Amino acid sequence: IRVIRADGTERTVMILGEIERGSGASSILGTIQDITERKRAEKELLMHRDHLQEMVIHQTKDIIRAKIQS
């Protein structure tokens, strides 16, 4: 879940919890974990992966062209 803090910064949090239902009342017990940095790192890794895939495709095409020309 994306949340905006009081200072205006946006963070991504993961909420893990459960609802406890009692006699006529319910309560939620859980934790909130800030995963903003994890999400940023995941996005960066995906960008690097995509770049590497493009490089492999380019190099493969160059190798095929070189083999055809020789």
Side-chain angles (χ1 to χ4, degrees):
I1 298 172
R2 288 185 177 185
V3 296
I4 299 175
R5 296 172 52 177
D7 64 2
T9 58
E10 186 176 301
R11 307 300 287 178
T12 303
V13 298
M14 177 174 55
I15 301 172
L16 301 171
E18 61 183 53
I19 298 174
E20 296 180 356
R21 292 189 169 90
S23 56
S26 297
S27 62
I28 299 174
L29 177 65
T31 60
I32 298 174
Q33 182 178 2
D34 186 343
I35 58 170
T36 303
E37 288 304 311
R38 183 174 98 188
K39 289 295 190 180
R40 184 203 54 77
E42 287 173 358
K43 183 178 180 181
E44 186 175 336
L45 284 172
L46 289 174
M47 288 181 357
H48 286 295
R49 182 202 64 189
D50 292 345
H51 178 69
L52 287 172
Q53 286 177 338
E54 289 175 17
M55 289 175 60
V56 167
I57 289 169
H58 179 70
Q59 291 294 324
T60 303
K61 287 179 180 178
D62 287 348
I63 291 169
I64 292 170
R65 278 191 213 114
K67 283 186 176 184
I68 290 171
Q69 291 176 356
S70 62

